[in-house]
Amino acid sequence: MISKTDSIELHDRKFQLLFDKSQIDKRVQELAESIKIKFKDQRPLFIGVLNGSFIFTSDLVRAYHGECEVTFVKLNSYEGMDSTGRIEEQLSLKENIKGRPIIIVEDIIDSGRTVHHFLKSIQSKNPSSVSVATLLYKPKAMQFDYNIDYIGFEIPNQFVVGYGLDYDGLGRQLDGVYVLEES
Ligand code: 5GP
Ligand code: MG
């Protein structure tokens, strides 16, 4: 049964709860544990992609019980970009990542374009490894071919908000993930 609090309104649209706080917390713990098993005593650098991944990144690194570093980038990728795969880095990476293990942290992978271009940019700086972690993944929307190492939840090709993700600026602070109600 859908309770009152499972339905929210942002601007002019209604959204229904998809994953609540406890489901997300549990999954984030599991992802952090899998990452720790792989990275053992290495010191990975988590790179959160702003704005959407600020909450997921902070929860993921707090659940990661090992030495690590954290930084953020802010990216903008466009349709119809040339094959060199440049992206506009509105806030760019300052760290020297040569020889270091990198984990890119995204809130959601939709078409896959943003991470595709960022991966190329990261790989050109010769890190020792690059992994991708995303809380949400829309497999039906994906247009690129690369491996996503850590996926929180696969979701249908629908618009979601909450837990860092916004609808026209609103909803980032919600502790659950909500899906747009079809009107
Ligand atoms: P891409 O298509 O490059 O994989 O995703 C680009 C960006 O679009 C994501 O990082 C995210 O900020 C935004 N995005 C994609 N799908 C959704 C969605 O369902 N809800 C919200 N709020 N943002 C989305
Ligand atoms: Mg994002």
Side-chain angles (χ1 to χ4, degrees):
M1 204 182 90
I2 296 164
S3 77
K4 237 180 170 179
T5 51
D6 289 344
S7 180
I8 56 156
E9 237 178 278
L10 299 171
H11 296 295
D12 52 339
R13 306 306 291 265
K14 284 202 171 73
F15 296 82
Q16 286 292 328
L17 186 65
L18 187 61
F19 304 114
D20 68 15
K21 182 177 178 348
S22 67
Q23 288 171 292
I24 296 171
D25 285 350
K26 181 169 173 282
R27 194 68 192 114
V28 171
Q29 298 289 331
E30 289 168 357
L31 293 177
E33 281 162 26
S34 323
I35 294 171
K36 179 68 175 81
I37 288 166
K38 181 171 166 208
F39 288 86
K40 293 193 186 73
D41 296 326
Q42 298 183 59
R43 190 200 297 161
L45 172 64
F46 290 87
I47 305 179
V49 181
L50 294 172
N51 291 330
S53 82
F54 76 110
I55 293 182
F56 178 43
T57 305
S58 71
D59 283 351
L60 187 66
V61 298
R62 283 181 295 176
Y64 183 82
H65 301 302
E67 211 170 69
C68 66
E69 292 183 33
V70 190
T71 190
F72 290 93
V73 293
K74 191 166 184 182
L75 307 174
N76 223 336
S77 75
Y78 299 99
E79 291 274 357
M81 225 170 342
D82 62 42
S83 58
T84 58
R86 278 170 298 154
I87 40 174
E88 186 197 350
E89 299 194 4
Q90 296 177 326
L91 177 67
S92 60
L93 195 65
K94 301 288 183 294
E95 289 75 6
N96 179 1
I97 61 167
K98 192 169 178 209
R100 303 190 55 188
I102 301 301
I103 303 169
I104 297 171
V105 185
E106 260 289 22
D107 50 349
I108 188 163
I109 296 183
D110 181 36
S111 73
R113 183 170 290 106
T114 308
V115 168
H116 169 77
H117 293 305
F118 190 50
L119 269 170
K120 284 202 205 170
S121 156
I122 290 290
Q123 275 154 354
S124 72
K125 294 172 180 160
N126 298 313
S128 60
S129 67
V130 189
S131 306
V132 177
T134 187
L135 180 75
L136 304 170
Y137 174 48
K138 295 181 185 172
K140 290 213 165 70
M142 183 68 162
Q143 291 173 26
F144 294 85
D145 184 21
Y146 54 82
N147 190 47
I148 307 172
D149 303 86
Y150 305 98
I151 297 172
F153 303 97
E154 290 194 1
I155 62 168
N157 202 356
Q158 286 173 291
F159 188 78
V160 292
V161 295
Y163 197 73
L165 292 136
D166 73 309
Y167 167 47
D168 201 10
L170 295 183
R172 294 193 194 277
Q173 83 289 0
L174 297 165
D175 62 14
V177 170
Y178 294 77
V179 63
L180 179 65
E181 225 175 64
E182 304 296 338
S183 47

